[in-house]
């Protein structure tokens, strides 16, 4: 019994340390969600990159710690990047909980921008965003790595990085 009491504080310390940094995003569902969108256009599949996931985690940590979980794209990273933010669930009694968000939901949110992309003119419809979608379907982007961070207010910031990067001005994604 004494060993259990000694072990509990150690376990609590380990779990709190893990919760303070970027969290791993399950690779298989994230890649599958990207490839589902890409397959609709006959594009080659993406594969998971541990190094891109690590870079995404570093940026997610930065956004959570230094930017109050506000979305801001990294400058000069040399990688494509998609960001997603999810609010906390707030109950009527004021409690806040982390929202259940899946990789598939994040990617489908980005992919929904397809409705706002005018392929013939290679631009977003007036007043709309479509760059997340075009990064997912950028033909030459073949690797993806992602991470997420739960923020102090229980909101979440998700970061995906891509190589080679997409969204080159004047070029169509596919």
């Amino acid at each position: 019994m004494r060993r259990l009491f000694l072990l509990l504080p150690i376990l609590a310390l380990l779990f709190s340390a893990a919760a303070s940094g970027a969290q791993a995003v399950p690779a298989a569902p994230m890649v599958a969600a990207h490839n589902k969108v890409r397959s609709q256009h006959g594009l080659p599949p993406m594969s998971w990159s541990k190094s891109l996931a690590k870079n995404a985690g570093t940026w997610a940590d930065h956004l959570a710690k230094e930017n109050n979980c506000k979305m801001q794209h990294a400058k000069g990273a040399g990688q494509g990047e998609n960001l997603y933010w999810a609010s906390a669930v707030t109950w009527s009694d004021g409690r806040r909980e982390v929202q259940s968000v899946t990789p598939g939901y994040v990617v489908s949110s980005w992919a929904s921008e397809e409705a706002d992309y005018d392929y013939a003119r290679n631009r977003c419809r007036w007043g709309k965003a479509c760059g997340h979608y075009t990064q997912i379907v950028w033909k030459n982007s073949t690797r993806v790595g992602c991470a997420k961070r739960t923020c102090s207010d229980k909101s979440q910031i998700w970061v995906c990085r891509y190589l080679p990067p997409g969204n080159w001005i004047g070029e169509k994604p596919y």
Side-chain angles (χ1 to χ4, degrees):
M1 191 67 160
R2 184 176 177 157
R3 288 184 191 158
L4 180 61
F5 287 117
L6 292 174
L7 185 59
L8 287 176
I10 294 169
L11 288 174
L13 183 62
L14 288 172
F15 283 113
S16 66
S20 67
Q23 298 130 7
V25 170
M30 184 57 84
V31 170
H34 277 80
N35 288 338
K36 180 180 177 184
V37 177
R38 291 172 66 83
S39 71
Q40 295 168 358
H41 300 285
L43 299 170
M46 286 190 164
S47 61
W48 186 256
S49 166
K50 288 182 183 178
S51 64
L52 287 173
K54 182 179 177 181
N55 291 345
T58 299
W59 190 245
D61 279 341
H62 167 79
L63 292 176
K65 292 177 186 175
E66 309 298 328
N67 212 36
N68 294 325
C69 260
K70 293 180 184 150
M71 294 196 302
Q72 177 184 0
H73 284 288
K75 291 180 174 57
Q79 301 166 346
E81 182 178 77
N82 277 351
L83 304 176
Y84 179 86
W85 180 83
S87 66
V89 175
T90 305
W91 297 95
S92 58
D93 64 2
R95 284 181 298 126
R96 295 174 68 87
E97 295 178 1
V98 176
Q99 188 179 156
S100 178
V101 178
T102 65
Y105 186 83
V106 171
V107 174
S108 69
S109 173
W110 293 329
S112 70
E113 294 175 358
E114 180 178 12
D116 298 318
Y117 177 61
D118 182 341
Y119 184 81
R121 294 184 177 151
N122 192 30
R123 64 180 183 201
C124 303
R125 300 201 191 287
W126 179 253
K128 300 292 183 174
C130 63
H132 301 102
Y133 163 71
T134 55
Q135 176 58 77
I136 291 171
V137 297
W138 200 265
K139 184 178 183 176
N140 294 334
S141 293
T142 57
R143 291 172 287 162
V144 62
C146 308
K148 66 179 179 175
R149 173 72 192 263
T150 301
C151 303
S152 59
D153 65 355
K154 301 204 187 264
S155 65
Q156 301 167 57
I157 189 87
W158 291 62
V159 179
C160 283
R161 294 280 179 89
Y162 303 86
L163 278 177
N167 287 339
W168 293 100
I169 295 172
E171 293 183 29
K172 288 187 175 183
Y174 52 88

